[in-house]
Amino acid sequence: MTKILTGGLGKSEVAGRVTGLGLPGVEIVVSSDMDAAVQLRAGRADYFLGTCHTGAGASLGVLVGLLGSAVCHTFGRSVPTAEQIEALLDEGKKVFGYAVDQLDAVTPVLARAIAARTA
């Protein structure tokens, strides 16, 4: 089971979108940034999806500070392709930030790519 935590401005909306996809083997949990950092660091969660107005600052600030930039990536206001997400997952990225107004476009692609790794 892969555990994805959500945080930031649209955390409930992201959780709802991922749940609505019905992805097998994926558990989605609404979290705070600090709790997410603790859970990820302890191995009790696998990924974090954070949203804010820009997708760069508040969506990941705490996690970058506590986990380091090597596992974090921000899409900002852009919408990534499945190939870009795959490459980031291959690099070991586990924490993703994106703009809340891109939530409908980014969330399904990102969640499906993560779920495919656990299938």
Side-chain angles (χ1 to χ4, degrees):
M1 178 73 66
T2 297
K3 186 174 183 180
I4 301 173
L5 305 175
T6 66
L9 188 62
K11 62 186 172 186
S12 296
E13 291 86 352
V14 170
R17 299 300 188 290
V18 175
T19 300
L21 295 171
L23 301 169
V26 172
E27 175 187 6
I28 188 82
V29 177
V30 174
S31 180
S32 70
D33 296 355
M34 187 60 84
D35 186 50
V38 170
Q39 286 196 52
L40 286 161
R41 184 178 264 171
R44 293 190 310 260
D46 303 294
Y47 296 95
F48 176 82
L49 310 181
T51 53
C52 69
H53 288 293
T54 65
S59 65
L60 297 183
V62 170
L63 288 115
V64 170
L66 295 175
L67 300 176
S69 61
V71 297
C72 300
H73 180 80
T74 179
F75 296 113
R77 299 193 44 76
S78 68
V79 176
T81 65
E83 293 78 21
Q84 290 169 320
I85 292 170
E86 287 294 329
L88 292 166
L89 291 170
D90 288 344
E91 291 173 18
K93 303 295 185 189
K94 296 180 175 291
V95 176
F96 298 94
Y98 49 101
V100 73
D101 65 346
Q102 302 296 336
L103 189 147
D104 288 329
V106 177
T107 303
V109 180
L110 189 51
R112 285 184 180 114
I114 291 169
R117 302 226 160 203
T118 63

